[in-house]
mmCIF file of all heavy atoms in Angstrom:
data_model
loop_
_atom_site.group_PDB
_atom_site.id
_atom_site.type_symbol
_atom_site.label_atom_id
_atom_site.label_comp_id
_atom_site.label_asym_id
_atom_site.label_seq_id
_atom_site.Cartn_x
_atom_site.Cartn_y
_atom_site.Cartn_z
ATOM 1 N N ASP A 58 1.503 26.498 -23.361
ATOM 2 C CA ASP A 58 2.161 26.484 -22.056
ATOM 3 C C ASP A 58 2.806 25.147 -21.752
ATOM 4 O O ASP A 58 3.570 25.022 -20.814
ATOM 5 C CB ASP A 58 1.159 26.813 -20.935
ATOM 6 C CG ASP A 58 0.631 28.225 -21.085
ATOM 7 O OD1 ASP A 58 1.348 29.048 -21.682
ATOM 8 O OD2 ASP A 58 -0.490 28.478 -20.619
ATOM 9 N N ALA A 100 52.061 35.049 17.490
ATOM 10 C CA ALA A 100 52.022 35.539 18.875
ATOM 11 C C ALA A 100 52.946 34.709 19.766
ATOM 12 O O ALA A 100 53.668 35.252 20.628
ATOM 13 C CB ALA A 100 50.594 35.505 19.402
ATOM 14 N N VAL A 170 56.184 45.837 28.288
ATOM 15 C CA VAL A 170 55.613 44.488 28.150
ATOM 16 C C VAL A 170 55.908 43.738 29.430
ATOM 17 O O VAL A 170 57.087 43.516 29.769
ATOM 18 C CB VAL A 170 56.208 43.747 26.934
ATOM 19 C CG1 VAL A 170 55.609 42.343 26.852
ATOM 20 C CG2 VAL A 170 55.947 44.519 25.650
ATOM 21 N N MET A 234 51.681 27.357 2.488
ATOM 22 C CA MET A 234 51.219 27.266 1.107
ATOM 23 C C MET A 234 51.519 25.889 0.529
ATOM 24 O O MET A 234 50.688 25.307 -0.184
ATOM 25 C CB MET A 234 51.880 28.353 0.268
ATOM 26 C CG MET A 234 51.374 29.758 0.563
ATOM 27 S SD MET A 234 52.124 30.995 -0.503
ATOM 28 C CE MET A 234 51.507 30.471 -2.094
ATOM 29 N N SER A 331 -29.418 -4.650 -33.821
ATOM 30 C CA SER A 331 -29.882 -5.761 -32.991
ATOM 31 C C SER A 331 -30.988 -5.321 -32.047
ATOM 32 O O SER A 331 -31.914 -6.085 -31.765
ATOM 33 C CB SER A 331 -28.703 -6.335 -32.194
ATOM 34 O OG SER A 331 -27.686 -6.780 -33.065
ATOM 35 N N PRO A 387 -31.814 -8.694 -7.077
ATOM 36 C CA PRO A 387 -32.036 -8.769 -8.530
ATOM 37 C C PRO A 387 -30.756 -8.567 -9.336
ATOM 38 O O PRO A 387 -30.578 -9.198 -10.391
ATOM 39 C CB PRO A 387 -33.048 -7.649 -8.793
ATOM 40 C CG PRO A 387 -33.718 -7.422 -7.484
ATOM 41 C CD PRO A 387 -32.689 -7.675 -6.448
ATOM 42 N N THR A 486 -2.655 -8.155 -14.080
ATOM 43 C CA THR A 486 -3.070 -9.377 -13.409
ATOM 44 C C THR A 486 -3.613 -10.428 -14.351
ATOM 45 O O THR A 486 -4.015 -11.489 -13.898
ATOM 46 C CB THR A 486 -4.162 -9.047 -12.374
ATOM 47 O OG1 THR A 486 -5.254 -8.397 -13.030
ATOM 48 C CG2 THR A 486 -3.606 -8.130 -11.302
#
Side-chain angles (χ1 to χ4, degrees):
D58 296 334
V170 179
M234 289 183 64
S331 301
T486 57

